[in-house]
Amino acid sequence: MNWDDIKIFLQVARTGKLALAARNLKVDSSTVSRRLHHLEKSLEVSLFERGADGHLLTVEGQQLMQTAKRMEQNLQSSVASLQGINKGDSGNVRLGTTEAFGSFFLATKMRNFATLAPKISVDILTFSRQVNLTRYEADIAINVGKPEKTSMVVSKLCDYRLKLYASNIYLRNNPITKKSDLNQQTWIAYVEHLDFSEQLSHVKDLAPDVVPILKSSSVISQYLAVKSGLGVAVLPCFMADLDPELKPLLDDEIDIVRQFYLIAQADRKRIARVEMLWNFIKKTAKTNQALLMGNRRV
């Protein structure tokens, strides 16, 4: 099989559209269609069902998809390993993480990494879902909670604490002195089924009778809504404690601790620049445990 044909097959399988696959590959649609027909003819099978909604994989297409993905991953891993050997401490590393940790913690520490490794560029990719490393969305992922049943390299990064916060503006008119007061508050929360992890859904536990007035898949949106005086929300301490306008509530009664884990495919982690960023993140988290655990206020 021609590798160029396999690349085209993978793009059509992933996008379901000839035009979108062609745009991603920077070729015209007629080329994609012609190469696809050539592949099907050489294999003597139909790989797609063509319809108004696009291209859907047949049973044979699904079978080839599994093999083609392994071919792609093996090739990418080999190239990455060679680049790691040849480039040493230079090149690019893609890091997938949560929005809050990427923006409010890691981004503020990257000056130190730039000093340590000036030839390595870093892409911080923030997700409101788990990062798919098998599709090479990133070289390293930072996960909330330990992933189950994975062949990847997994290492606990740190514990971190979340607390319930409100702004000084909100608390002037809405005093909160006991846990039963929470059912009478205006809540801000994650959109159900869209949060990064089920471990970040807290409203039902803390205020079961409440329907949040605002929901967002973005923790930064939630933070800004709390800061404006709209209501209360559970936020990471490393984010909210940096803002003197926010106050943690019911410290003795509400104590939420979660864990971040570092994850990478074994062959990616062996690349020098990936290993350097991995070790830097671990060292930085260890150095900043007080902030991560909510033991340091501005």
Side-chain angles (χ1 to χ4, degrees), residues 59-103:
V59 173
E60 292 80 8
Q62 292 172 1
Q63 209 171 349
L64 179 60
M65 181 70 168
Q66 298 306 312
T67 302
K69 283 167 64 178
R70 287 196 295 270
M71 291 170 64
E72 180 186 53
Q73 289 167 8
N74 288 338
L75 179 59
Q76 289 176 336
S77 296
S78 296
V79 170
S81 295
L82 288 170
Q83 288 177 336
I85 292 169
N86 295 333
K87 291 184 179 180
D89 60 352
S90 64
N92 176 258
V93 184
R94 292 162 63 84
L95 172 66
T97 183
T98 65
E99 187 181 32
F101 196 68
S103 300

mmCIF file of all heavy atoms in Angstrom, residues 59-103:
data_model
loop_
_atom_site.group_PDB
_atom_site.id
_atom_site.type_symbol
_atom_site.label_atom_id
_atom_site.label_comp_id
_atom_site.label_asym_id
_atom_site.label_seq_id
_atom_site.Cartn_x
_atom_site.Cartn_y
_atom_site.Cartn_z
ATOM 1 N N VAL A 59 -17.328 -1.925 7.408
ATOM 2 C CA VAL A 59 -16.654 -2.850 8.332
ATOM 3 C C VAL A 59 -15.202 -3.017 7.915
ATOM 4 O O VAL A 59 -14.281 -3.014 8.743
ATOM 5 C CB VAL A 59 -17.374 -4.219 8.344
ATOM 6 C CG1 VAL A 59 -16.583 -5.232 9.161
ATOM 7 C CG2 VAL A 59 -18.783 -4.072 8.903
ATOM 8 N N GLU A 60 -14.977 -3.157 6.602
ATOM 9 C CA GLU A 60 -13.600 -3.285 6.105
ATOM 10 C C GLU A 60 -12.809 -2.003 6.349
ATOM 11 O O GLU A 60 -11.615 -2.044 6.663
ATOM 12 C CB GLU A 60 -13.617 -3.616 4.599
ATOM 13 C CG GLU A 60 -14.162 -4.983 4.241
ATOM 14 C CD GLU A 60 -15.696 -5.019 4.229
ATOM 15 O OE1 GLU A 60 -16.321 -3.928 4.352
ATOM 16 O OE2 GLU A 60 -16.254 -6.110 4.093
ATOM 17 N N GLY A 61 -13.480 -0.851 6.208
ATOM 18 C CA GLY A 61 -12.821 0.419 6.466
ATOM 19 C C GLY A 61 -12.407 0.561 7.916
ATOM 20 O O GLY A 61 -11.319 1.061 8.229
ATOM 21 N N GLN A 62 -13.263 0.113 8.831
ATOM 22 C CA GLN A 62 -12.938 0.163 10.258
ATOM 23 C C GLN A 62 -11.738 -0.726 10.569
ATOM 24 O O GLN A 62 -10.879 -0.371 11.392
ATOM 25 C CB GLN A 62 -14.146 -0.274 11.079
ATOM 26 C CG GLN A 62 -15.299 0.707 11.018
ATOM 27 C CD GLN A 62 -16.558 0.167 11.673
ATOM 28 O OE1 GLN A 62 -16.573 -0.940 12.191
ATOM 29 N NE2 GLN A 62 -17.627 0.954 11.636
ATOM 30 N N GLN A 63 -11.671 -1.859 9.862
ATOM 31 C CA GLN A 63 -10.537 -2.773 10.056
ATOM 32 C C GLN A 63 -9.241 -2.122 9.601
ATOM 33 O O GLN A 63 -8.220 -2.154 10.299
ATOM 34 C CB GLN A 63 -10.791 -4.055 9.247
ATOM 35 C CG GLN A 63 -10.155 -5.297 9.827
ATOM 36 C CD GLN A 63 -10.627 -6.548 9.100
ATOM 37 O OE1 GLN A 63 -11.566 -6.515 8.318
ATOM 38 N NE2 GLN A 63 -9.965 -7.649 9.354
ATOM 39 N N LEU A 64 -9.292 -1.479 8.430
ATOM 40 C CA LEU A 64 -8.096 -0.805 7.918
ATOM 41 C C LEU A 64 -7.732 0.382 8.806
ATOM 42 O O LEU A 64 -6.546 0.682 8.996
ATOM 43 C CB LEU A 64 -8.321 -0.340 6.481
ATOM 44 C CG LEU A 64 -7.138 0.408 5.833
ATOM 45 C CD1 LEU A 64 -5.895 -0.483 5.780
ATOM 46 C CD2 LEU A 64 -7.512 0.897 4.436
ATOM 47 N N MET A 65 -8.727 1.046 9.357
ATOM 48 C CA MET A 65 -8.489 2.209 10.211
ATOM 49 C C MET A 65 -7.585 1.840 11.383
ATOM 50 O O MET A 65 -6.659 2.588 11.726
ATOM 51 C CB MET A 65 -9.830 2.749 10.728
ATOM 52 C CG MET A 65 -9.704 3.973 11.617
ATOM 53 S SD MET A 65 -9.187 5.442 10.719
ATOM 54 C CE MET A 65 -9.492 6.710 11.942
ATOM 55 N N GLN A 66 -7.836 0.713 12.019
ATOM 56 C CA GLN A 66 -7.016 0.289 13.152
ATOM 57 C C GLN A 66 -5.562 0.074 12.738
ATOM 58 O O GLN A 66 -4.627 0.507 13.418
ATOM 59 C CB GLN A 66 -7.589 -0.993 13.773
ATOM 60 C CG GLN A 66 -8.991 -0.844 14.327
ATOM 61 C CD GLN A 66 -9.105 0.302 15.319
ATOM 62 O OE1 GLN A 66 -8.286 0.447 16.227
ATOM 63 N NE2 GLN A 66 -10.120 1.149 15.136
ATOM 64 N N THR A 67 -5.370 -0.575 11.597
ATOM 65 C CA THR A 67 -4.015 -0.823 11.105
ATOM 66 C C THR A 67 -3.340 0.482 10.695
ATOM 67 O O THR A 67 -2.173 0.718 11.005
ATOM 68 C CB THR A 67 -4.056 -1.779 9.899
ATOM 69 O OG1 THR A 67 -4.678 -2.993 10.294
ATOM 70 C CG2 THR A 67 -2.650 -2.088 9.398
ATOM 71 N N ALA A 68 -4.089 1.337 10.011
ATOM 72 C CA ALA A 68 -3.532 2.603 9.524
ATOM 73 C C ALA A 68 -3.122 3.505 10.680
ATOM 74 O O ALA A 68 -2.089 4.182 10.616
ATOM 75 C CB ALA A 68 -4.555 3.299 8.635
ATOM 76 N N LYS A 69 -3.904 3.520 11.749
ATOM 77 C CA LYS A 69 -3.557 4.339 12.925
ATOM 78 C C LYS A 69 -2.264 3.853 13.556
ATOM 79 O O LYS A 69 -1.422 4.649 13.973
ATOM 80 C CB LYS A 69 -4.697 4.300 13.942
ATOM 81 C CG LYS A 69 -5.868 5.183 13.574
ATOM 82 C CD LYS A 69 -7.113 4.899 14.400
ATOM 83 C CE LYS A 69 -6.921 5.187 15.857
ATOM 84 N NZ LYS A 69 -8.164 4.948 16.637
ATOM 85 N N ARG A 70 -2.092 2.532 13.618
ATOM 86 C CA ARG A 70 -0.836 1.994 14.174
ATOM 87 C C ARG A 70 0.347 2.360 13.285
ATOM 88 O O ARG A 70 1.429 2.704 13.783
ATOM 89 C CB ARG A 70 -0.940 0.475 14.337
ATOM 90 C CG ARG A 70 -1.833 0.036 15.493
ATOM 91 C CD ARG A 70 -1.612 -1.413 15.850
ATOM 92 N NE ARG A 70 -2.006 -2.306 14.772
ATOM 93 C CZ ARG A 70 -3.233 -2.810 14.636
ATOM 94 N NH1 ARG A 70 -4.195 -2.479 15.483
ATOM 95 N NH2 ARG A 70 -3.514 -3.624 13.640
ATOM 96 N N MET A 71 0.141 2.297 11.971
ATOM 97 C CA MET A 71 1.209 2.692 11.039
ATOM 98 C C MET A 71 1.590 4.146 11.256
ATOM 99 O O MET A 71 2.775 4.495 11.322
ATOM 100 C CB MET A 71 0.744 2.480 9.594
ATOM 101 C CG MET A 71 0.576 1.026 9.179
ATOM 102 S SD MET A 71 -0.249 0.878 7.567
ATOM 103 C CE MET A 71 0.951 1.649 6.483
ATOM 104 N N GLU A 72 0.581 5.000 11.376
ATOM 105 C CA GLU A 72 0.817 6.427 11.575
ATOM 106 C C GLU A 72 1.547 6.690 12.885
ATOM 107 O O GLU A 72 2.513 7.453 12.936
ATOM 108 C CB GLU A 72 -0.527 7.161 11.564
ATOM 109 C CG GLU A 72 -0.419 8.660 11.773
ATOM 110 C CD GLU A 72 -1.779 9.308 11.901
ATOM 111 O OE1 GLU A 72 -2.590 8.853 12.745
ATOM 112 O OE2 GLU A 72 -2.031 10.283 11.165
ATOM 113 N N GLN A 73 1.086 6.033 13.946
ATOM 114 C CA GLN A 73 1.708 6.234 15.259
ATOM 115 C C GLN A 73 3.148 5.749 15.276
ATOM 116 O O GLN A 73 4.027 6.409 15.838
ATOM 117 C CB GLN A 73 0.885 5.518 16.325
ATOM 118 C CG GLN A 73 -0.459 6.183 16.596
ATOM 119 C CD GLN A 73 -1.396 5.314 17.410
ATOM 120 O OE1 GLN A 73 -1.007 4.265 17.901
ATOM 121 N NE2 GLN A 73 -2.648 5.735 17.537
ATOM 122 N N ASN A 74 3.403 4.600 14.647
ATOM 123 C CA ASN A 74 4.768 4.070 14.605
ATOM 124 C C ASN A 74 5.695 5.007 13.839
ATOM 125 O O ASN A 74 6.836 5.240 14.246
ATOM 126 C CB ASN A 74 4.780 2.683 13.968
ATOM 127 C CG ASN A 74 4.167 1.630 14.869
ATOM 128 O OD1 ASN A 74 4.097 1.806 16.076
ATOM 129 N ND2 ASN A 74 3.700 0.539 14.287
ATOM 130 N N LEU A 75 5.193 5.543 12.732
ATOM 131 C CA LEU A 75 6.009 6.456 11.932
ATOM 132 C C LEU A 75 6.286 7.747 12.704
ATOM 133 O O LEU A 75 7.423 8.209 12.775
ATOM 134 C CB LEU A 75 5.292 6.773 10.621
ATOM 135 C CG LEU A 75 6.013 7.751 9.680
ATOM 136 C CD1 LEU A 75 7.377 7.221 9.285
ATOM 137 C CD2 LEU A 75 5.164 8.025 8.442
ATOM 138 N N GLN A 76 5.240 8.317 13.319
ATOM 139 C CA GLN A 76 5.422 9.551 14.085
ATOM 140 C C GLN A 76 6.360 9.344 15.261
ATOM 141 O O GLN A 76 7.188 10.205 15.574
ATOM 142 C CB GLN A 76 4.062 10.063 14.563
ATOM 143 C CG GLN A 76 3.196 10.611 13.447
ATOM 144 C CD GLN A 76 1.818 11.010 13.936
ATOM 145 O OE1 GLN A 76 1.347 10.514 14.949
ATOM 146 N NE2 GLN A 76 1.163 11.906 13.213
ATOM 147 N N SER A 77 6.228 8.191 15.917
ATOM 148 C CA SER A 77 7.090 7.908 17.063
ATOM 149 C C SER A 77 8.546 7.769 16.634
ATOM 150 O O SER A 77 9.453 8.250 17.308
ATOM 151 C CB SER A 77 6.631 6.617 17.752
ATOM 152 O OG SER A 77 5.340 6.777 18.276
ATOM 153 N N SER A 78 8.761 7.103 15.500
ATOM 154 C CA SER A 78 10.125 6.919 15.008
ATOM 155 C C SER A 78 10.761 8.251 14.648
ATOM 156 O O SER A 78 11.908 8.530 14.998
ATOM 157 C CB SER A 78 10.125 5.993 13.781
ATOM 158 O OG SER A 78 9.678 4.705 14.130
ATOM 159 N N VAL A 79 9.992 9.097 13.956
ATOM 160 C CA VAL A 79 10.504 10.410 13.568
ATOM 161 C C VAL A 79 10.796 11.247 14.813
ATOM 162 O O VAL A 79 11.838 11.896 14.925
ATOM 163 C CB VAL A 79 9.487 11.133 12.660
ATOM 164 C CG1 VAL A 79 9.898 12.596 12.458
ATOM 165 C CG2 VAL A 79 9.386 10.432 11.320
ATOM 166 N N ALA A 80 9.854 11.206 15.774
ATOM 167 C CA ALA A 80 10.036 11.988 17.001
ATOM 168 C C ALA A 80 11.264 11.523 17.777
ATOM 169 O O ALA A 80 12.011 12.330 18.328
ATOM 170 C CB ALA A 80 8.791 11.881 17.872
ATOM 171 N N SER A 81 11.459 10.216 17.843
ATOM 172 C CA SER A 81 12.624 9.684 18.558
ATOM 173 C C SER A 81 13.916 10.115 17.885
ATOM 174 O O SER A 81 14.877 10.495 18.554
ATOM 175 C CB SER A 81 12.543 8.154 18.615
ATOM 176 O OG SER A 81 11.440 7.748 19.375
ATOM 177 N N LEU A 82 13.932 10.066 16.550
ATOM 178 C CA LEU A 82 15.120 10.497 15.821
ATOM 179 C C LEU A 82 15.385 11.981 16.047
ATOM 180 O O LEU A 82 16.513 12.399 16.246
ATOM 181 C CB LEU A 82 14.944 10.216 14.324
ATOM 182 C CG LEU A 82 15.016 8.743 13.907
ATOM 183 C CD1 LEU A 82 14.594 8.589 12.452
ATOM 184 C CD2 LEU A 82 16.414 8.180 14.119
ATOM 185 N N GLN A 83 14.317 12.770 16.033
ATOM 186 C CA GLN A 83 14.476 14.203 16.270
ATOM 187 C C GLN A 83 14.965 14.464 17.682
ATOM 188 O O GLN A 83 15.781 15.352 17.920
ATOM 189 C CB GLN A 83 13.146 14.919 16.036
ATOM 190 C CG GLN A 83 12.759 14.998 14.573
ATOM 191 C CD GLN A 83 11.407 15.654 14.390
ATOM 192 O OE1 GLN A 83 10.578 15.653 15.298
ATOM 193 N NE2 GLN A 83 11.169 16.191 13.214
ATOM 194 N N GLY A 84 14.475 13.668 18.620
ATOM 195 C CA GLY A 84 14.907 13.822 20.000
ATOM 196 C C GLY A 84 16.383 13.522 20.147
ATOM 197 O O GLY A 84 17.110 14.203 20.876
ATOM 198 N N ILE A 85 16.842 12.488 19.445
ATOM 199 C CA ILE A 85 18.262 12.116 19.505
ATOM 200 C C ILE A 85 19.117 13.194 18.841
ATOM 201 O O ILE A 85 20.155 13.598 19.350
ATOM 202 C CB ILE A 85 18.474 10.752 18.818
ATOM 203 C CG1 ILE A 85 17.804 9.646 19.637
ATOM 204 C CG2 ILE A 85 19.962 10.463 18.652
ATOM 205 C CD1 ILE A 85 17.728 8.317 18.913
ATOM 206 N N ASN A 86 18.620 13.681 17.701
ATOM 207 C CA ASN A 86 19.430 14.604 16.918
ATOM 208 C C ASN A 86 19.388 16.039 17.441
ATOM 209 O O ASN A 86 20.367 16.762 17.357
ATOM 210 C CB ASN A 86 18.966 14.583 15.452
ATOM 211 C CG ASN A 86 19.217 13.229 14.797
ATOM 212 O OD1 ASN A 86 20.131 12.511 15.203
ATOM 213 N ND2 ASN A 86 18.411 12.874 13.821
ATOM 214 N N LYS A 87 18.229 16.443 17.978
ATOM 215 C CA LYS A 87 18.077 17.839 18.379
ATOM 216 C C LYS A 87 18.425 18.088 19.841
ATOM 217 O O LYS A 87 18.680 19.211 20.234
ATOM 218 C CB LYS A 87 16.643 18.296 18.108
ATOM 219 C CG LYS A 87 16.317 18.400 16.621
ATOM 220 C CD LYS A 87 14.921 18.962 16.427
ATOM 221 C CE LYS A 87 14.601 19.103 14.940
ATOM 222 N NZ LYS A 87 13.247 19.656 14.729
ATOM 223 N N GLY A 88 18.387 17.026 20.640
ATOM 224 C CA GLY A 88 18.735 17.198 22.046
ATOM 225 C C GLY A 88 17.760 18.114 22.751
ATOM 226 O O GLY A 88 16.591 17.798 22.903
ATOM 227 N N ASP A 89 18.246 19.278 23.165
ATOM 228 C CA ASP A 89 17.418 20.185 23.963
ATOM 229 C C ASP A 89 16.827 21.314 23.122
ATOM 230 O O ASP A 89 16.738 22.456 23.563
ATOM 231 C CB ASP A 89 18.233 20.763 25.118
ATOM 232 C CG ASP A 89 19.442 21.556 24.632
ATOM 233 O OD1 ASP A 89 19.709 21.513 23.418
ATOM 234 O OD2 ASP A 89 20.098 22.206 25.458
ATOM 235 N N SER A 90 16.405 20.999 21.899
ATOM 236 C CA SER A 90 15.751 22.004 21.065
ATOM 237 C C SER A 90 14.521 21.390 20.409
ATOM 238 O O SER A 90 14.365 20.177 20.369
ATOM 239 C CB SER A 90 16.719 22.535 19.991
ATOM 240 O OG SER A 90 17.078 21.497 19.095
ATOM 241 N N GLY A 91 13.646 22.265 19.907
ATOM 242 C CA GLY A 91 12.435 21.789 19.250
ATOM 243 C C GLY A 91 11.194 22.239 19.998
ATOM 244 O O GLY A 91 11.232 23.143 20.826
ATOM 245 N N ASN A 92 10.078 21.601 19.689
ATOM 246 C CA ASN A 92 8.781 21.986 20.241
ATOM 247 C C ASN A 92 8.182 20.848 21.064
ATOM 248 O O ASN A 92 8.338 19.678 20.716
ATOM 249 C CB ASN A 92 7.822 22.362 19.097
ATOM 250 C CG ASN A 92 6.427 22.689 19.590
ATOM 251 O OD1 ASN A 92 5.515 21.873 19.480
ATOM 252 N ND2 ASN A 92 6.247 23.879 20.132
ATOM 253 N N VAL A 93 7.502 21.206 22.165
ATOM 254 C CA VAL A 93 6.778 20.230 22.987
ATOM 255 C C VAL A 93 5.354 20.742 23.178
ATOM 256 O O VAL A 93 5.148 21.910 23.508
ATOM 257 C CB VAL A 93 7.434 20.037 24.370
ATOM 258 C CG1 VAL A 93 6.690 18.941 25.151
ATOM 259 C CG2 VAL A 93 8.903 19.663 24.229
ATOM 260 N N ARG A 94 4.382 19.858 22.967
ATOM 261 C CA ARG A 94 2.970 20.207 23.115
ATOM 262 C C ARG A 94 2.473 19.630 24.437
ATOM 263 O O ARG A 94 2.582 18.426 24.679
ATOM 264 C CB ARG A 94 2.164 19.659 21.944
ATOM 265 C CG ARG A 94 2.502 20.355 20.634
ATOM 266 C CD ARG A 94 2.048 19.564 19.413
ATOM 267 N NE ARG A 94 0.612 19.404 19.363
ATOM 268 C CZ ARG A 94 -0.241 20.296 18.860
ATOM 269 N NH1 ARG A 94 0.233 21.433 18.368
ATOM 270 N NH2 ARG A 94 -1.534 20.081 18.831
ATOM 271 N N LEU A 95 1.903 20.503 25.262
ATOM 272 C CA LEU A 95 1.442 20.117 26.594
ATOM 273 C C LEU A 95 -0.060 20.347 26.705
ATOM 274 O O LEU A 95 -0.539 21.468 26.559
ATOM 275 C CB LEU A 95 2.181 20.951 27.651
ATOM 276 C CG LEU A 95 1.702 20.835 29.096
ATOM 277 C CD1 LEU A 95 1.962 19.430 29.629
ATOM 278 C CD2 LEU A 95 2.387 21.871 29.969
ATOM 279 N N GLY A 96 -0.805 19.288 26.954
ATOM 280 C CA GLY A 96 -2.246 19.386 27.127
ATOM 281 C C GLY A 96 -2.608 19.387 28.605
ATOM 282 O O GLY A 96 -2.135 18.532 29.363
ATOM 283 N N THR A 97 -3.427 20.345 29.030
ATOM 284 C CA THR A 97 -3.721 20.466 30.451
ATOM 285 C C THR A 97 -5.078 21.132 30.655
ATOM 286 O O THR A 97 -5.736 21.530 29.694
ATOM 287 C CB THR A 97 -2.616 21.277 31.156
ATOM 288 O OG1 THR A 97 -2.882 21.338 32.554
ATOM 289 C CG2 THR A 97 -2.517 22.690 30.598
ATOM 290 N N THR A 98 -5.480 21.239 31.925
ATOM 291 C CA THR A 98 -6.717 21.951 32.221
ATOM 292 C C THR A 98 -6.511 23.446 32.032
ATOM 293 O O THR A 98 -5.384 23.944 32.079
ATOM 294 C CB THR A 98 -7.167 21.692 33.673
ATOM 295 O OG1 THR A 98 -6.202 22.244 34.568
ATOM 296 C CG2 THR A 98 -7.327 20.213 33.958
ATOM 297 N N GLU A 99 -7.616 24.148 31.857
ATOM 298 C CA GLU A 99 -7.548 25.584 31.594
ATOM 299 C C GLU A 99 -6.929 26.345 32.760
ATOM 300 O O GLU A 99 -6.040 27.191 32.564
ATOM 301 C CB GLU A 99 -8.966 26.089 31.325
ATOM 302 C CG GLU A 99 -9.050 27.523 30.882
ATOM 303 C CD GLU A 99 -10.486 27.964 30.653
ATOM 304 O OE1 GLU A 99 -11.378 27.464 31.364
ATOM 305 O OE2 GLU A 99 -10.697 28.809 29.777
ATOM 306 N N ALA A 100 -7.365 26.057 33.969
ATOM 307 C CA ALA A 100 -6.863 26.795 35.134
ATOM 308 C C ALA A 100 -5.387 26.517 35.370
ATOM 309 O O ALA A 100 -4.594 27.441 35.575
ATOM 310 C CB ALA A 100 -7.675 26.435 36.380
ATOM 311 N N PHE A 101 -4.991 25.251 35.352
ATOM 312 C CA PHE A 101 -3.604 24.892 35.636
ATOM 313 C C PHE A 101 -2.675 25.422 34.548
ATOM 314 O O PHE A 101 -1.577 25.907 34.835
ATOM 315 C CB PHE A 101 -3.470 23.370 35.757
ATOM 316 C CG PHE A 101 -2.194 22.926 36.412
ATOM 317 C CD1 PHE A 101 -1.961 23.181 37.757
ATOM 318 C CD2 PHE A 101 -1.226 22.243 35.694
ATOM 319 C CE1 PHE A 101 -0.781 22.773 38.367
ATOM 320 C CE2 PHE A 101 -0.047 21.829 36.295
ATOM 321 C CZ PHE A 101 0.178 22.094 37.633
ATOM 322 N N GLY A 102 -3.136 25.356 33.301
ATOM 323 C CA GLY A 102 -2.308 25.863 32.205
ATOM 324 C C GLY A 102 -2.146 27.366 32.240
ATOM 325 O O GLY A 102 -1.046 27.889 32.040
ATOM 326 N N SER A 103 -3.234 28.075 32.525
ATOM 327 C CA SER A 103 -3.212 29.542 32.435
ATOM 328 C C SER A 103 -2.735 30.221 33.711
ATOM 329 O O SER A 103 -1.981 31.195 33.656
ATOM 330 C CB SER A 103 -4.621 30.056 32.088
ATOM 331 O OG SER A 103 -5.052 29.536 30.845
#
